Amino acid sequence: MHIKKPDSFSFQNAVTSHGWYQLMPFELNDGVLSICAMIDGKPSDVEVWDKSKTLGFRCVESNKQQARNLIRHLLRIDEPFEDFYQELGEHSDYRWIAEKTLGPLLRSPTVFEDVVKTICTTNCSWALTKSMIRNLVTHLGELSPSGKRTFPTPEAMAACDERFFSDSIRAGYRGPYLLEFARSVADGRVEPEDWLVTDIETPELKKSIKAIKGVGDYAAENMLKLVGRYDGLALDSFLRSGFYKKHNKGKECPDKKIHKHYSPFGKWMGLVIWFDMVRKEIS
DNA sequence: GCGTCCAGGTCTACC
DNA sequence: GGTAGACCTGGACGC
């Protein structure tokens, strides 16, 4: 089975541009990205890989068209980046981003899942982030026929108590935040999937996202990137230290200076700073 | 072994 | 609006 891909689309870069592919239930082996996800209410296994002008994919226990839609969502195949590449054309130092057709950042099947993962990136090492997500999937994910597990649903997480998040997930002080968020989604008080389609202005949307306990500036702006809005930098210690080294002679500086550096890129600045800082790791 | 530091921050209280 | 201190975990590091 195949999915047609745009001319300016790099499967490799879409998958590995940031660390999400290392978080369960994603797996990347020999160029094949696999995920176990809920499709049509059933845990289903989906695999996707690169071919010359298309993407190959296979799915087990799921409708072919819905699996195709899921892959398009994960890889952001329908998201237009032409304006981004055109903008970069006016900045010689950053033209390489367009030449490598960077832009799409891998995202999860649901915005809910991306929020949970983002909260689990805060104030800890990447190893601990992977551990917390692995624990969530292992303890609460639904089992597919092949023995893989989905990311837990809001309802599954909402049914737990704080002690579970502390003892089994090892989420520390984040536990109550994760539980409160899951319960707010499960009972409909918060509808994160709407963030993908809402017309409200970015500052207002950011305010709504920050209303979630455990989500501050970094996490909110990271979420904005994952729903396709790139006018926030999502500054964390990784981006700050990278900026100091690359653009400020290794010296610390106020965030305002970082904003000023990338402000010429307007609504694309969040993508530019990210690729600027991970350039060495991109093939 | 043990203690300390810190990592892909956020919240609250206080000024 | 700006800032200090507390907050969980676990790996790295020095002793």
Side-chain angles (χ1 to χ4, degrees), chain A residues 2 20 60 66 100 108 110 140 164 169 182 185 191 222 282:
Chain A
H2 307 281
W20 251 218
V60 179
Q66 289 183 319
K100 287 185 176 291
S108 303
T110 66
L140 298 176
F164 172 80
I169 307 302
V185 175
E191 297 182 302
N222 191 56
I282 293 173

Side-chain angles (χ1 to χ4, degrees), chain A residues 203-218:
Chain A
E204 199 178 332
L205 179 57
K206 181 180 172 184
K207 202 173 168 185
S208 301
I209 298 173
K210 278 187 73 176
I212 296 165
K213 283 281 182 78
V215 174
D217 274 325
Y218 151 75

